[in-house]
Amino acid sequence: MSELRIWNARAVDPGSATILDRATIAVSGDRIVEIAEAAGDAPAGAIDVAGRTVLPGFIDAHTHLSSDTSRSPGFGPASQLKGEDPRPRELGWFLLAKSCTAFLEAGITTVRDVGAYDDEAIVVRRAVELGLTPGPRIRTCGRIISATSPGGWHFGTMYEEADGPWEVRRAVRRQLRRGADFVKLMSTGARSVEREDPEPAQLTREEIAAIVDEAHRIGLRVAAHAEGLEGTRFAVEEGADTIEHGLALHRAPELLAMMAERGQVLVPTLSTFHDLAERFAHEWVPRLVDQAKRQLEDAYRTLAAARGAGVTIAMGFDSGPPGANLWEMVRIAEGGVGSMAALAAATSGAAAAVGLPDIGRLERGAVADLVVVDGDPVSDPRVLLRRSRIRLVVHDGRVVAGRDLDGPAIGEPAGDDEPLEPPTGPPSPCLTHS
Ligand SMILES: [Zn+2]
């Protein structure tokens, strides 16, 4: 059984908003077995982190794992040149493996995939479990359950279309058969499809109720894509466990109150609205860009209203490239929630969204996913965006990434920081037409 002891750390547990200075954290196997004040000299073999901050490993509750090799600049291979050999589709598997490494290097130790093409996320999860590639803990919905819709045409194998209560129940059963860990449904249309109006519900209340009932009966949680208010209302009232996007909720305080009471989690995905409204506006149908600008304002209003109502908030980047995920945490922090609550959204809040209560916490008995950081993310969350500041990443009790992975450079000061640019590269496949 692997043993690990971190010495002289500033231990920050965002979920409980507690900070313990000069802490020692002991790990046995994949669990934290002790967090206490470090007294005296460091025991032999302990990793002295010289007062640096230790946080729980970060969790992205809204990702789309994608093998799209055109994901460049910034992440995938350089664009193909004329005369170059055609690129085999199988290169995509290497890109998925690279994504998994990029998550770990950024301190992301768990991702929830909310829809991938061709069941790729299920295969990658298996590859990580079998030790074929380093990677975070992956939970995936398999295919997204949608009504027959224009989005089904756009998103192809990311969707499973079904209509009527019995067909949608069958679609839930198909996801379980396929290897899904939870179920995702489209309660409304998508902001990225010209012929879909995200305002009205797309599935009926009866269909959403059937999906939730079927999933919960067989032990699967339900994530609901929800943009307009009607579909969001159906999803909240019928018991979806997480509301993805959920930007209309500021218009319905009674739904936020219900979510807070029942423990339904909001995943606000601010970054995806920045993508469509700003970062990639030049690539999109103008009506969708105008709509996204309004949605961006709505999303920030809902973030504030949800925080006020006591709703659990989870970080979900829904953007790219892989490894830039903590930009979403920074946006949550700077969106008026504050850094400790934003760090909680990226740890304990996202753990609640994934439905894994043993991750995202820095306490005895929790899973030993840890990140050692140079600097103080509680006063400046942007330090987490700088790769040179990520000193060690521990996943399931083992050191897997970080600047000090290959040796104890931990005593050295932070290197020259690379410039802090907003992420480059294409948006989430959630916005990418197949
Ligand atoms: Zn998405």
Side-chain angles (χ1 to χ4, degrees), residues 269-281 292 295-296 300 319 327-328 331 431:
T269 67
L270 303 170
S271 300
T272 192
F273 299 108
H274 283 283
D275 280 353
L276 221 163
E278 298 161 357
R279 185 174 161 206
F280 301 107
Q295 289 189 316
L296 180 61
Y300 277 96
S319 183
W327 271 96
E328 177 70 14
R331 283 172 170 145
L431 291 178

Side-chain angles (χ1 to χ4, degrees), residues 143-167:
R143 301 189 184 194
I144 303 168
I145 300 174
S146 164
T148 300
S149 63
W153 187 16
H154 282 245
F155 292 110
T157 60
M158 189 187 284
Y159 276 24
E160 176 149 342
E161 290 169 295
D163 304 284
W166 282 105
E167 254 188 57

Side-chain angles (χ1 to χ4, degrees), residues 205-231:
R205 183 188 281 276
E206 190 185 15
E207 287 167 327
I208 291 172
I211 291 170
V212 174
D213 178 67
E214 188 67 30
H216 284 178
R217 202 186 70 255
I218 57 183
L220 301 183
R221 292 165 60 80
V222 178
H225 170 104
E227 295 189 40
L229 190 54
E230 188 186 31

Side-chain angles (χ1 to χ4, degrees), residues 62-64 114-115 144 158 184 191 225 244-245 269 272 317-319 428-431:
H62 191 121
T63 58
H64 298 272
V114 287
I144 303 168
M158 189 187 284
K184 183 179 177 197
R191 67 206 167 282
H225 170 104
E244 312 297 314
H245 318 302
T269 67
T272 192
F317 187 33
D318 198 10
S319 183
S428 159
C430 189
L431 291 178

Side-chain angles (χ1 to χ4, degrees), residues 17 32 75 97 113 127 144 193 215 227 241 276-277 281 289 292 323 333 336-337 380 388 391 419:
I32 296 170
F75 191 75
D113 169 81
I144 303 168
V193 177
E227 295 189 40
D241 300 286
L276 221 163
V289 175
V337 162
D380 179 13
S388 62
R391 304 300 291 246

Side-chain angles (χ1 to χ4, degrees), residues 4 57-58 103-109 368-372 387 390-405:
L4 186 73
F58 295 106
F103 290 133
L104 291 180
E105 287 171 348
I108 309 288
T109 48
D369 291 350
L370 308 168
V371 182
V372 179
R387 200 48 41 84
I390 308 289
R391 304 300 291 246
L392 280 179
V393 180
V394 176
H395 180 39
D396 274 338
R398 286 193 308 275
V399 176
V400 292
R403 191 177 150 206
D404 299 322
L405 177 64

